Amino acid sequence: DVKVTQSSRYLVKRTGEKVFLECVQDMDHENMFWYRQDPGLGLRLIYFSYDVKMKEKGDIPEGYSVSREKKERFSLILESASTNQTSMYLCASRGLGPYEQYFGPGTRLTVT
Amino acid sequence: QQPVQSPQAVILREGEDAVINCSSSKALYSVHWYRQKHGEAPVFLMILLKGGEQMRHEKISASFNEKKQQSSLYLTASQLSYSGTYFCGTEQPGGSNYKLTFGKGTLLTVNP
């Protein structure tokens, strides 16, 4: 079974803190994605990576950065967390070709 | 730009049918359908490719009209287990990064 795991299911941080969300996949997928999910807004793409050290901005990259030093790991970084970044964060991975995308269980981040 | 899903929500009795639509303003290469149950990660249902055939997953089928840039998901003889939020994800032609843009979702509730 493909597995996409995320470092935490729940996280509470203070405003201004630097936050790291980690995602690991075990299927040797080239492509990895970070989404945030908010009620009524669906899944919005923050950043994605199509290879090690390669990244591209998604639709809502402001306030976030990413790191991909190894193929299996993709990190989302909130440089200075703000309350409007309180959300559910979902990581996903996908191989090359017309294949499905696999999602991790999500991290519910609360910034106070 | 996010594809537009309709309806936003639908309530069914067990055994009834439903159709969920996904419409894009841009040319599409593929459309993916996912279902998400409350508190869980989205799960892949099916993918429809440009020029491909209509797909089926159990009693769920989908179609893809390339000219109209639309896809529809058909749920036949709905079961309680079909309850959840359905998302379509669209992929544009010519992209090499396999990025999906998701709609806002359709909440499906199946009652006994």
Side-chain angles (χ1 to χ4, degrees):
Chain A
D1 273 358
V2 173
K3 277 195 178 170
V4 180
T5 57
Q6 296 183 228
S7 50
S8 306
R9 289 302 302 270
Y10 300 95
L11 209 53
V12 179
K13 295 292 181 181
R14 294 228 182 229
T15 301
E17 279 193 85
K18 191 169 185 176
V19 182
F20 292 87
L21 303 182
E22 305 283 339
C23 175
V24 177
Q25 50 95 3
D26 66 357
M27 277 300 290
D28 201 36
H29 284 166
E30 287 76 10
N31 303 293
M32 296 188 74
F33 309 86
W34 275 107
Y35 296 89
R36 65 176 282 176
Q37 183 173 23
D38 300 289
L41 297 180
L43 297 158
R44 293 181 293 166
L45 183 64
I46 305 171
Y47 265 99
F48 63 99
S49 169
Y50 51 91
D51 201 351
V52 175
K53 296 189 186 294
M54 306 303 288
K55 60 187 179 185
E56 280 195 29
K57 294 180 180 180
D59 300 315
I60 51 166
E62 297 78 19
Y64 304 94
S65 62
V66 290
S67 172
R68 192 168 181 200
E69 296 296 319
K70 293 184 178 182
K71 191 175 185 180
E72 68 271 16
R73 189 180 296 270
F74 191 34
S75 302
L76 180 69
I77 304 158
L78 286 67
E79 298 290 343
S80 177
S82 63
T83 54
N84 63 13
Q85 292 179 310
T86 291
S87 185
M88 171 67 83
Y89 290 88
L90 288 163
C91 175
S93 74
R94 184 180 174 191
L96 296 176
Y99 303 122
E100 67 183 273
Q101 190 162 291
Y102 294 87
F103 285 88
T107 296
R108 184 165 294 282
L109 173 68
T110 302
V111 183
T112 61
Chain B
Q1 190 168 6
Q2 284 183 291
V4 177
Q5 286 186 235
S6 63
Q8 291 184 338
V10 59
I11 299 174
L12 300 173
R13 288 257 170 140
E14 203 172 3
E16 292 181 336
D17 302 340
V19 180
I20 300 172
N21 299 302
C22 175
S23 179
S24 173
S25 60
K26 299 183 178 181
L28 299 177
Y29 169 71
S30 72
V31 179
H32 295 220
W33 286 95
Y34 291 78
R35 176 172 60 209
Q36 184 180 32
K37 293 184 178 289
H38 184 69
E40 298 180 9
V43 174
F44 174 79
L45 291 175
M46 61 187 74
I47 179 173
L48 297 107
L49 300 175
K50 184 177 177 180
E53 297 178 358
Q54 184 180 37
M55 301 294 291
R56 291 191 65 86
H57 171 78
E58 299 176 346
K59 291 184 180 179
I60 300 173
S61 62
S63 63
F64 179 22
N65 187 323
E66 299 155 27
K67 289 184 179 179
K68 291 186 177 181
Q69 296 151 198
Q70 293 175 347
S71 178
S72 294
L73 189 71
Y74 307 94
L75 298 101
T76 306
S78 59
Q79 306 168 12
L80 296 176
S81 62
Y82 285 4
S83 291
T85 301
Y86 289 77
F87 293 99
C88 69
T90 57
E91 183 178 4
Q92 293 177 249
S96 59
N97 50 40
Y98 304 95
K99 182 181 75 165
L100 293 178
T101 302
F102 286 92
K104 294 183 178 181
T106 296
L107 178 61
L108 178 73
T109 304
V110 181
N111 293 319

